[in-house]
Amino acid sequence: MEFPKDKKQDDSSKDLDWLNEEDPFGLDEEMEIVTFKCLDCKKTDEVPEYIIGEFSVDLNKGEEVELHCPYCNGTMIEARDVPSD
């Protein structure tokens, strides 16, 4: 495969300028956290909001996201009565 000889090699580095930004992948962005509480063992777990969004895609209006408890494998729902930091 031959490449055009008139294209400068420096042009490809211009396409990657966005990598020189301070946080190009958004790793320093603050993540929203939602607390979930297990209906069985009553323990709580913090879940990133984007995970909840992924699970809520197929839900009908009024349905809540339910997750598996990492402690007892029970059912966890959003804990509305647990104070956040």
Side-chain angles (χ1 to χ4, degrees), residues 4-16:
K5 295 180 184 189
D6 59 330
K7 184 171 179 163
K8 295 180 183 177
Q9 196 172 18
D10 292 339
D11 288 346
S12 63
S13 66
K14 291 178 184 176
D15 295 337
L16 300 176

Side-chain angles (χ1 to χ4, degrees), residues 24-37:
F25 298 108
L27 299 176
D28 292 335
E29 291 180 13
E30 194 162 321
M31 194 179 329
E32 295 291 325
I33 300 293
V34 178
T35 302
F36 272 69
K37 187 172 185 178

Side-chain angles (χ1 to χ4, degrees), residues 8 11-14 16-19 22-23 26 32-34 39 45-46 49-50 56 61-62 65-66 72-74 78:
K8 295 180 183 177
D11 288 346
S12 63
S13 66
K14 291 178 184 176
L16 300 176
D17 283 344
W18 63 274
L19 285 174
E22 190 170 317
D23 186 24
E32 295 291 325
I33 300 293
V34 178
L39 298 174
D45 193 28
E46 294 180 342
E49 189 176 49
Y50 72 89
S56 64
K61 189 176 182 178
V65 172
E66 293 182 358
C72 73
N73 206 28
E78 188 174 340

Side-chain angles (χ1 to χ4, degrees), residues 1 6-7 12 15 21 24 36 39 42-43 46 50-51 53 56-59 61 68 76-77 81 83:
M1 176 177 201
D6 59 330
K7 184 171 179 163
S12 63
D15 295 337
E21 293 177 12
F36 272 69
L39 298 174
K42 308 299 184 212
K43 290 187 179 181
E46 294 180 342
Y50 72 89
I51 298 288
S56 64
V57 171
D58 294 330
L59 295 178
K61 189 176 182 178
H68 290 283
M76 296 190 94
I77 60 170
D81 60 342

